[in-house]
Amino acid sequence: MYAYSDNSTMPSVMRTFAFSLLIAFIGTMAGVFVPPALFLPLVIIELAMLIGVFFLRKKKAISYAFLYAFTFISGMTMYPVIAHYIAVSGANVVINALGGPLLLCSLVSLFMRLKRSGTSASLAAC
C-alpha cells in the first residue's frame, strides 16, 4: 500500500523541528521573567504573526527567523499555562511532556543524518 521513498529532506525537516522545540523551550524559560501585564500583548503579537503568515506564505517571504521568533514568543506565552500544570501535576510530568518530543526529534534527525551518510549499520549493531 505504501511505497518506500528515500526522502533526503527528512533530516533537514527533523533538525528544524527539533531546533524549533528548543527555541520554544528557551522562550518558556524566558517567560519566567516576563511581567504578567505583558502576556496579553505577547498573545496579540503571536496572533498577528499567525494571521500575517497566511498572507506571507503566498509570496514565500517567510524565513527561519520568522519561524524561530514565532516559536520563541509562543514559548513565552505558554509559560503561565505550563506553570499552572507544574503547580497542579508536578514538574516531572511537564518536563517529560516537553523533553520527550525534543529528544525524539533530535534522535530521529541524527538517525536520518547517519542513515544518509551510510553509518546506520553501526547503529544497528548496538
Side-chain angles (χ1 to χ4, degrees):
M1 178 175 212
Y2 296 107
Y4 174 77
S5 65
D6 187 25
N7 193 355
S8 62
T9 60
M10 187 58 115
S12 174
V13 169
M14 293 306 291
R15 183 176 53 244
T16 303
F17 186 63
F19 194 62
S20 293
L21 286 173
L22 179 65
I23 295 294
F25 180 74
I26 292 169
T28 304
M29 295 300 110
V32 173
F33 304 107
V34 175
L38 289 180
F39 280 112
L40 183 60
L42 284 173
V43 169
I44 293 170
I45 290 171
E46 184 178 8
L47 288 174
M49 289 177 80
L50 193 59
I51 292 169
V53 81
F54 288 117
F55 298 110
L56 291 176
R57 70 183 172 119
K58 302 273 187 203
K59 299 177 184 177
K60 303 214 185 259
I62 304 169
S63 65
Y64 284 114
F66 185 87
L67 169 72
Y68 297 137
F70 180 77
T71 56
F72 184 78
I73 292 173
S74 294
M76 285 195 306
T77 58
M78 286 299 294
Y79 170 73
V81 175
I82 292 171
H84 171 74
Y85 281 111
I86 286 175
V88 171
S89 62
N92 193 26
V93 173
V94 175
I95 289 172
N96 287 336
L98 293 175
L102 179 62
L103 179 68
L104 287 175
C105 289
S106 299
L107 289 176
V108 168
S109 175
L110 177 67
F111 176 74
M112 294 299 285
R113 180 177 215 148
L114 292 175
K115 182 179 175 186
R116 187 170 56 176
S117 67
T119 58
S120 62
S122 63
L123 287 177
C126 293

